[in-house]
Amino acid sequence: MKYIVGMVGVSAGMVMNMGIAAVAWAEQPLSVVYPPDGHETTAAQIFLIGTAPPAGEVTVNGQPIERSAAGHFAPSFPLQLGENAFTLRYQDQELVLRVTRTDPNPTLPPGTGFAEGSLAPAVDIARLPNEPICFSAIAPAQATVSVSLSDQSIALLPQPSSVNLPPNSAVLTFSNQPAPSPTTTYQGCIAVASPGDLGVPEFQLTLNGSTIRQSGPSRVSVLAPAQVEVVEVTADSGTARSGPSTDYSRLTPLPKGTQASVTGREGEWLRLDYGGWIRASETQAIPNAALPRTLIRSIRARTMGEWTEIAFPLQAPVPVTVQQGNRSFVLTLHNTTAQTDTIFLNDDPVIERLDWQQAAPSQVQYTFNLKSAQQWGYKLRYEGTTLILSLRHPPQVKSDSLAGIRILLDPGHGGPEDLGARGPTGYPEKEVALIVSQLLRDRLEARGATVIMTREGDIDLYPQDRAALINQAEPTLALSLHYNALPDDGDAVNTAGIGTFWYNAQSHSLAVFLHNYLVTSLDRPSYGVFWNNLALTRPTVAPAVLLELGFMINPDEFEWIINSAEQERLADALADGIAAWLQQQ
């Protein structure tokens, strides 16, 4: 995990660049890895990660700070809005850092006016006839706010209980509580029956006898039902989301070739007829296309190597959603009506029974009751208008060997630009992740496993490239090995331990088992188990887990992380845990 960047050090009062220290106890001048001088943050506190020779005292703004036996430190300090100065001293060395805390809330201008950037919608939008079109703005309390649009005036009323949600990353510091908004949000909606371009909304604010008007940043239109646009997914795996930005949650990826009608637009995003949103750049319009609707009749399953393929012949490649459960795999076809009388499904290595129902007038739901609680991977693709679902067979695991098992190991980060987190000496996550991955590789190969490494050296690999390697290799399981850091408002001194991250349900058992196994066998603290939407946890072809094996920024845990004997013990425990999990399935 990457939060720590930059490093500065001082010697005899002079600021200097520091080289990377390969061992925790290396004697080096007073230095701070994080934050860099001039850092800006919205957090209410900041930690200072650094080191100095262990003998002697380090002070921050005149107050002594605690350090590890090797001389490392990571104290946290509160931040006031604006610039905060921290003066660090060790003997005759001095270092001054300036950190600026900015207010994350919109700021009202002096006098009468809207908060900058608060007028919504902020991008061009299109909605269906009679669908609510909502407007909002942040303005002073006691103001009168309205919007004019296409000869209509819409009153925007103050919302009495507005709250702000913290970012998703707040759960990493266990501080994800909502907070009352310090500003007043005004909101109102209309519904328009007639299609057409409604133009640019004009916002009006009146306060203490003064009135200002401001044009909105977007145009508003209503779609014509008789001229529905149909699009086709052109990306290999279309990223569907619950709303029109990357802030919204991912839904089941849409296979290439999926077709759907457009029921709304918001900026660069399209709302598809089944409810998901997708970037327009991942689609292309199909001229003169009819609404994608299909019947489904017979279904056929067959064994193809280590996969069972189920073919769903359709008239159009419609959107799909998937939900994995305990001993179940549920596939929903949207815009589909069943005329099914016959399904061909022999006794199968994965499937116990297939049930189906017309769950809604335009949804057919297929429930695969599985022979095992552990699922090993799935794939979805369209061949023309036929949907192919592939379910992976369980591996054959020997009691005394991992022969026949393929394991992909992904050492986190790499290359000159992606160091990952850095410890108090500046030692980077990318190096220790590679060392431990190579130690683990050797142990797994000694047990008979085939190991695929995403990198063997210090090379750049984007997360999507690593995920593509998982999809290409189709391993039995995939592990991404990392070391951790925290957002600015974290407590670096008191946060430590093993964390595991999973996304697809088929990966949950592996994540929990490895987490508990490492914590128990190595007597390490537990940071926890997290469901997390990460590039290296999203692949569906195999159980995929990302491990954070300790906190680089914790002064004491850092010394454990880079201890070569402890790295050997960690690799042993990982290999033992992987083998134990496989053998209990």
Side-chain angles (χ1 to χ4, degrees):
M1 191 166 290
K2 185 178 181 181
Y3 289 104
I4 303 300
V5 294
M7 180 176 179
V8 293
V10 297
S11 177
M14 300 292 292
V15 177
M16 59 181 291
N17 291 326
M18 299 300 300
I20 293 172
V23 290
W25 54 87
E27 293 267 341
Q28 63 184 66
L30 173 65
S31 60
V32 174
V33 173
Y34 188 86
D37 188 29
H39 180 63
E40 291 190 3
T41 183
T42 60
Q45 67 179 37
I46 192 75
F47 43 66
L48 308 182
I49 310 298
T51 194
E57 183 178 75
V58 174
T59 63
V60 177
N61 292 344
Q63 299 299 314
I65 59 173
E66 292 185 4
R67 297 198 289 154
S68 71
H72 312 318
F73 54 82
S76 290
F77 296 95
L79 295 174
Q80 304 298 318
L81 287 173
E83 185 176 276
N84 299 257
F86 299 97
T87 301
L88 293 85
R89 288 190 175 90
Y90 172 77
Q91 296 180 357
D92 61 346
Q93 302 170 32
E94 180 178 294
L95 172 63
V96 178
L97 296 175
R98 298 164 189 84
V99 177
T100 299
R101 179 187 173 192
T102 58
D103 190 346
N105 298 299
T107 302
L108 289 168
T112 301
F114 295 105
E116 183 178 357
S118 71
L119 302 185
V123 294
D124 293 350
I125 68 167
R127 294 291 186 263
L128 293 172
N130 296 313
E131 182 180 358
I133 300 172
C134 295
F135 305 88
S136 65
I138 294 175
Q142 310 304 319
T144 300
V145 181
S146 63
V147 166
S148 297
L149 181 70
S150 186
D151 299 326
Q152 296 190 61
S153 180
I154 307 104
L156 304 190
L157 303 179
Q159 303 305 298
S161 57
S162 180
V163 298
N164 292 333
L165 289 178
N168 274 292
S169 60
V171 76
L172 300 175
T173 56
F174 308 105
S175 57
N176 61 328
Q177 296 300 313
S181 174
T183 56
T184 303
T185 299
Y186 294 77
Q187 184 173 321
C189 303
I190 59 168
V192 178
S194 301
D197 183 357
L198 304 182
V200 176
E202 188 80 11
F203 289 78
Q204 178 174 300
L205 185 158
T206 300
L207 180 67
N208 299 328
S210 175
T211 298
I212 64 106
R213 294 177 178 83
Q214 184 174 333
S215 296
S218 63
R219 298 188 71 86
V220 177
S221 60
V222 176
L223 298 173
Q227 300 173 355
V228 173
E229 180 182 16
V230 174
V231 296
E232 177 181 67
V233 174
T234 55
D236 288 338
S237 181
T239 303
R241 292 186 179 271
S242 59
S245 82
T246 56
D247 290 335
Y248 288 91
S249 299
R250 287 176 178 252
L251 307 176
T252 301
L254 297 176
K256 185 175 184 178
T258 299
Q259 296 178 8
S261 58
V262 175
T263 63
R265 289 179 173 270
E266 192 153 332
E268 62 174 339
W269 293 83
L270 308 178
R271 185 180 62 191
L272 304 183
D273 50 23
Y274 80 110
W277 292 78
I278 191 171
R279 273 197 175 101
S281 59
E282 295 190 43
T283 70
Q284 65 180 8
I286 306 176
N288 306 315
L291 291 178
R293 299 291 185 268
T294 184
L295 301 173
I296 183 165
R297 293 174 179 163
S298 62
I299 299 165
R300 175 175 56 87
R302 63 176 180 172
T303 298
M304 297 290 290
E306 61 181 20
W307 298 83
T308 293
E309 287 192 350
I310 305 96
F312 300 83
L314 305 171
Q315 296 167 304
V318 295
V320 300
T321 54
V322 162
Q323 184 174 8
Q324 290 179 301
N326 186 28
R327 292 183 180 270
S328 69
F329 183 99
V330 180
L331 171 70
T332 300
L333 304 184
H334 299 274
N335 303 329
T336 302
T337 303
Q339 289 186 348
T340 301
D341 284 333
T342 307
I343 295 174
F344 176 75
L345 175 62
N346 281 325
D347 186 25
D348 184 80
V350 180
I351 305 166
E352 182 71 36
R353 189 181 72 252
L354 171 59
D355 300 326
W356 71 271
Q357 63 174 331
Q358 186 82 46
S362 61
Q363 291 182 3
V364 181
Q365 189 176 85
Y366 298 91
T367 300
F368 293 86
N369 301 282
L370 306 177
K371 292 183 175 180
S372 170
Q374 177 58 46
Q375 299 181 44
W376 295 94
Y378 74 91
K379 298 183 289 187
L380 283 167
R381 72 181 189 275
Y382 271 111
E383 293 184 355
T385 61
T386 296
L387 178 69
I388 307 296
L389 166 66
S390 301
L391 298 178
R392 193 169 192 172
H393 300 168
Q396 301 299 312
V397 182
K398 299 178 174 62
S399 60
D400 59 349
S401 168
L402 295 181
I405 301 299
R406 301 192 309 278
I407 299 173
L408 182 140
L409 298 180
D410 171 48
H413 307 281
E417 301 300 324
D418 186 8
L419 305 180
R422 289 209 266 176
T425 65
Y427 184 65
E429 174 189 355
K430 66 172 185 176
E431 291 196 14
V432 66
L434 181 59
I435 289 170
V436 172
S437 296
Q438 290 171 333
L439 292 172
L440 176 57
R441 173 202 60 199
D442 295 344
R443 284 154 174 77
L444 293 173
E445 288 179 343
R447 296 172 185 238
T450 299
V451 178
I452 305 108
M453 299 279 286
T454 59
R455 68 179 181 98
E456 293 276 8
D458 188 22
I459 62 171
D460 285 314
L461 275 178
Y462 289 109
Q464 59 267 31
D465 297 328
R466 299 168 192 259
L469 288 172
I470 296 175
N471 290 325
Q472 178 183 347
E474 296 185 357
T476 309
L477 56 89
L479 299 178
S480 187
L481 276 61
H482 287 250
Y483 288 85
N484 222 339
L486 288 169
D488 283 349
D489 60 350
D491 183 349
V493 170
N494 295 306
T495 305
I498 306 290
T500 56
F501 296 76
W502 63 280
Y503 182 72
N504 295 303
Q506 64 195 20
S507 304
H508 177 256
S509 170
L510 177 61
V512 172
F513 185 92
L514 286 180
H515 172 269
N516 293 344
Y517 194 93
L518 294 176
V519 167
T520 301
S521 63
L522 296 173
D523 192 25
R524 299 304 302 166
S526 167
Y527 179 54
V529 178
F530 298 80
W531 179 91
N532 206 336
N533 171 21
L534 301 170
L536 274 300
T537 59
R538 286 197 296 265
T540 66
V541 296
V545 169
L546 186 144
L547 297 99
E548 297 280 3
L549 297 168
F551 279 82
M552 297 289 289
I553 60 176
N554 181 291
D556 293 314
E557 190 158 58
F558 174 65
E559 295 168 38
W560 175 82
I561 287 171
I562 66 170
N563 183 296
S564 59
E566 295 296 342
Q567 292 169 356
E568 298 276 354
R569 288 186 64 226
L570 174 58
D572 287 337
L574 281 165
D576 291 344
I578 292 166
W581 181 80
L582 284 167
Q583 287 162 2
Q584 77 172 18
Q585 302 309 311

